[in-house]
């Protein structure tokens, strides 16, 4: 049975209007960047690698002018992936699979620290990221400084059962970005956990059915959000949202297991 730990990949201060397309600009909010360690008997899976530690000390160099203007880092030095894994007595070499939900800077910042892991990424995410890297004019800003490293990227197409036993399943939740994915962890009868990542920033996005301002495809993101809501409301899964400060307050964090 997989055990799950919530890890802090940083804190970001941003305008609340970025999270809700129907909210006027002018209110700042600090949100957590959440990563997860999923301990399966056949290997450790890491969902996302958070914000790179350099973004704290030199935001301009790491994030570039545009993003450094939009986002302020509010992390403590320990709020980054390698230090968080150490809380569990683990190092990068212990991670068999890294799952990138998508290639925004707050989800793949620490990728370079996992040269021996296999990365699982949805094919449309990688294809769009490579197009953006080649200068194609697409409405998607992945973070090359974070993902563009000689890592063992394995591309998956849609739903993907990581160990073949149904316990850790990647769910395609496209729309926020071209190939965004979430993760389903089945911990036993009736104990399903859905880690949405940025297919749903907060509980409020799901409850009010409101999308964020920046996204790839609103119709597709809406469908993905509906699928996740069905997991929560009809199938009884526990849902952990991508950047929900209220939910994060009440979550058990590493080294404790997520309840
Ligand atoms: Zn994010």
């Amino acid at each position: 049975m997989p055990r799950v730990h919530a890890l802090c990949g940083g804190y970001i201060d941003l305008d609340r209007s970025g999270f809700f397309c129907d909210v006027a600009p002018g209110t700042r909010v600090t949100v957590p960047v959440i990563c997860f360690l999923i301990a399966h008997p056949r290997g450790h899976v890491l969902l996302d690698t958070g914000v790179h530690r350099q973004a704290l000390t030199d935001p301009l160099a790491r994030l570039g002018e545009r993003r450094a203007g939009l986002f302020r880092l509010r992390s403590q030095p320990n709020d980054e992936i390698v230090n968080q894994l150490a809380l569990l007595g683990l190092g990068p070499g212990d991670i068999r699979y890294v799952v990138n939900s998508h290639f925004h800077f707050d989800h793949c910042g620490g990728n370079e620290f996992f040269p021996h892991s296999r990365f699982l990424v949805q094919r449309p995410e990688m294809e769009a990221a490579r197009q953006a890297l080649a200068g194609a004019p697409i409405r998607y800003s992945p973070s090359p400084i974070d993902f563009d490293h000689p890592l063992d990227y394995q591309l998956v197409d849609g739903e993907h059962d990581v160990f073949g036993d149904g316990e850790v399943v990647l769910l395609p939740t496209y729309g926020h970005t071209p190939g965004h994915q979430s993760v389903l962890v089945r911990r036993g009868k009736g104990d399903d956990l859905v880690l949405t990542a940025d297919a749903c920033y907060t509980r409020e996005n799901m409850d009010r059915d409101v999308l964020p301002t920046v996204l790839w495809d609103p119709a597709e993101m809406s469908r993905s959000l509906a699928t996740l809501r069905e997991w929560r409301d009809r199938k009884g899964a526990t849902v952990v949202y991508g950047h929900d400060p209220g939910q994060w307050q009440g979550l058990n964090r590493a080294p404790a297991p997520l309840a």
Side-chain angles (χ1 to χ4, degrees):
M1 214 61 67
R3 195 177 63 250
V4 180
H5 297 271
L7 311 174
C8 183
Y11 288 94
I12 299 175
D13 168 287
L14 46 76
D15 196 285
R16 196 165 175 273
S17 63
F19 267 32
F20 307 100
C21 63
D22 60 354
V23 163
T27 309
R28 304 292 295 189
V29 60
T30 297
V31 304
V33 173
I34 313 177
C35 307
F36 296 91
L37 187 281
I38 305 164
H40 184 280
R42 285 172 45 212
H44 292 109
V45 180
L46 180 65
L47 170 58
D48 285 337
T49 60
V51 180
H52 194 284
R53 55 173 71 144
Q54 188 196 7
L56 195 56
T57 52
D58 193 351
L60 264 184
R62 191 72 203 181
L63 305 179
E65 205 170 332
R66 188 184 64 84
R67 285 181 305 191
L70 289 171
F71 308 112
R72 300 274 146 70
L73 265 290
R74 293 278 184 253
S75 315
Q76 297 299 313
N78 229 28
D79 301 331
E80 66 84 43
I81 196 61
V82 176
N83 287 333
Q84 291 284 302
L85 286 173
L87 296 174
L88 300 170
L90 298 173
D94 297 310
I95 306 302
R96 182 169 176 192
Y97 295 108
V98 176
V99 175
N100 282 134
S101 62
H102 62 303
F103 283 146
H104 281 157
F105 77 97
D106 52 325
H107 296 264
C108 59
N111 277 16
E112 67 170 276
F113 301 118
F114 298 88
H116 304 298
S117 307
R118 168 158 289 189
F119 283 72
L120 304 176
V121 176
Q122 291 286 328
R123 187 178 305 277
E125 187 69 15
M126 183 59 93
E127 285 177 351
R130 285 190 178 137
Q131 284 174 32
L133 198 56
I138 60 173
R139 290 175 305 103
Y140 174 41
S141 305
S143 185
I145 193 175
D146 293 317
F147 79 82
D148 189 23
H149 298 285
L151 298 166
D152 178 16
Y153 284 112
Q154 180 189 329
L155 304 186
V156 302
D157 295 287
E159 196 169 299
H160 178 79
D161 184 343
V162 176
F163 295 103
D165 59 4
E167 293 191 346
V168 183
V169 181
L170 312 186
L171 304 174
T173 45
Y174 302 167
H176 176 65
T177 61
H180 187 281
Q181 59 186 344
S182 305
V183 177
L184 166 67
V185 185
R186 311 202 89 154
R187 300 183 293 186
K189 215 169 183 293
D191 190 7
D192 294 338
L193 182 67
V194 173
L195 311 171
T196 69
D198 287 2
C200 185
Y201 283 152
T202 69
R203 182 186 184 102
E204 184 178 343
N205 291 92
M206 188 176 282
D207 288 352
R208 291 208 293 115
D209 197 18
V210 57
L211 298 179
T213 306
V214 176
L215 44 67
W216 168 253
D217 181 328
E220 194 152 33
M221 187 168 186
S222 242
R223 283 193 293 276
S224 295
L225 185 57
T227 302
L228 293 170
R229 189 183 299 106
E230 207 169 290
W231 273 103
R232 186 187 73 173
D233 295 346
R234 295 201 28 214
K235 303 179 188 170
T238 300
V239 168
V240 183
Y241 308 98
H243 293 285
D244 190 322
Q247 184 182 40
W248 176 246
Q249 282 302 320
L251 281 189
N252 286 333
R253 308 173 198 169
L258 197 69

